[in-house]
Amino acid sequence: MLNFEFYNPTKIVFGDDTIARLSDLVPADARVLVLFGGSSARKNGTLNEVTEALGSRTVHQFGGIEPNPSYETLMEAVTLVRNENLDFLLAVGGGSVIDGTKFVAAAVNFAGDPWEILLNHGTNVAGALPFGTVLTLPATGSEMNCGSVITRRETQAKLAFLSHHVFPQFSILDPTKTYTLPPRQIANGVVDAFVHIVEQYLTYPVGGRVQDRFAEGLLQTLIEVGPLALETPQDADARANLMWTATLALNGLIGAGVPQDWATHMIGHELTALHGIDHARTLAIVLPSLLNVQREQKRAKLLQYASRVWQLNEGDENERIDAAIRRTVQFFESLGIKTRLSDYDLGPDTIDKVVDQLIAHGMTALGEQKSITPEVSRTILEGAL
Ligand code: NZQ
Ligand code: ZN
């Protein structure tokens, strides 16, 4: 196993009817900004519950954070926080609202141009406002990690930053708040969480037995509950399991002490920035081809994945690997997520653009072995046409 440090200070409050707990979790004298997305939190009553739980505190609201949150919109929230002297942020929504809130938290007191936070991937963040989250979409794990992905519309740059200063203080996970999600977002959530696990598991063996078995258990849980969550939206048990699995998929635990890949995510971010494809869908396009192209580097773990996750033990090594990749594709497609560029009306001409953007963003040595050069990324995308 590799050396590691593991740190995660986020308190999780999990279960039905837990939004009322905000009255204790947010400091009594806080001046709060509640941040949310488009219309869902207002329509399904979550925002009302939040406002009620915050009681007599000073509360301002900032709505309109888009999916793939934009720097341009978030800077408006930064101005509001500064003008009103607000000192606590509360994100109510999915990964986009939470990521946006992390950026606002880090940007408010940042000395200099806040876009520098993204250009330096967070290494220059020296502090952040405290914040909590009320999660309404299980997918990204943002509710229990210190990562954030922000898009600058002006330049079509979608960049990530990481900083220990932007761990949420707490996150409320009430599975009943996911009942109003459209099937598309549930499917996206299952695939995003699945790929988060794969990016930390399907690399090369380092003897991280417990990390491997946690990862395999989480993958198997998604394979079980993903279809249930789609078939029966009010299946409380399926929703609860999906929510907790998505959080555990990217809270640092399964990635501690093992190599990590993340090339699928980096290539996928460029597809979202250029073409507006949902985050999870970009992953479903890139991952199968990446596994195929990287089969030598990932051979041992691909065989382990085939056997332990999909019970594929027949045939020679390449047949088992092919079958495991095929099962992965079938799983994504069974959830209604298409896996080829052509399914999104994209052809060979997009590949040059994606590769150019990867180079512009310094993404030239991706993957757990840093062996995915722009040329390898091109081969991966060609395999996904
Ligand atoms: O805007 P509203 O009206 O609220 O609607 C949202 C949005 O349109 C809707 N929604 C959310 N909760 C709902 C609901 N609709 C009905 N009922 C509810 N309970 O869902 C739509 C998508 O929301 P969004 O927050 O964009 O989705 P997701 O949670 O998948 O977040 C995606 C973003 O997270 C980033 C992605 O790149 C993308 O920008 N990621 C963040 C990560 C992290 N911080 O660790 C890791 C991930 O790999 C990912 O990159
Ligand atoms: Zn993701």
Side-chain angles (χ1 to χ4, degrees), residues 69-136:
S70 80
Y71 170 79
E72 289 85 350
T73 299
L74 297 167
M75 285 308 292
E76 293 174 28
V78 170
T79 304
L80 178 61
V81 172
R82 287 177 180 158
N83 288 348
E84 298 293 334
N85 271 321
L86 307 177
D87 56 19
F88 196 94
L89 308 181
L90 184 63
V92 180
S96 293
V97 173
I98 300 175
D99 282 8
T101 301
K102 290 174 176 177
F103 175 74
V104 173
V108 164
N109 294 318
F110 186 78
D113 173 5
W115 185 246
E116 292 285 329
I117 295 172
L118 279 310
L119 293 178
N120 290 279
H121 303 294
T123 53
N124 52 353
V125 174
L129 286 187
F131 69 97
T133 89
V134 174
L135 180 67
T136 64

Side-chain angles (χ1 to χ4, degrees), residues 40-61:
S40 78
R42 200 183 291 282
K43 262 199 219 148
N44 62 24
T46 307
L47 203 56
N48 265 347
E49 270 184 66
V50 165
T51 310
E52 210 168 290
L54 290 173
S56 58
R57 293 172 181 83
T58 301
V59 177
H60 290 250
Q61 294 190 346

Side-chain angles (χ1 to χ4, degrees), residues 201-271:
Y201 163 72
L202 241 171
T203 58
Y204 55 87
V206 292
R209 293 176 190 229
V210 74
Q211 293 92 327
D212 281 4
R213 288 197 166 91
F214 278 154
E216 288 152 1
L218 293 172
L219 289 171
Q220 286 175 312
T221 306
L222 288 174
I223 292 165
E224 257 172 40
V225 302
L228 293 176
L230 279 177
E231 278 157 29
T232 320
Q234 309 235 336
D235 181 333
D237 182 62
R239 292 296 165 115
N241 278 288
L242 174 56
M243 204 167 207
W244 189 222
T245 304
T247 301
L248 290 169
L250 195 51
N251 72 348
L253 186 66
I254 63 168
V258 297
Q260 302 191 16
D261 182 339
W262 299 110
T264 297
H265 269 72
M266 295 307 121
I267 300 171
H269 285 171
E270 303 300 353
L271 283 169

Side-chain angles (χ1 to χ4, degrees), residues 139-140 192-193 196 250 262 265 269 279 283:
T140 64
D192 192 21
H196 293 160
L250 195 51
W262 299 110
H265 269 72
H269 285 171
H279 170 63
L283 308 176

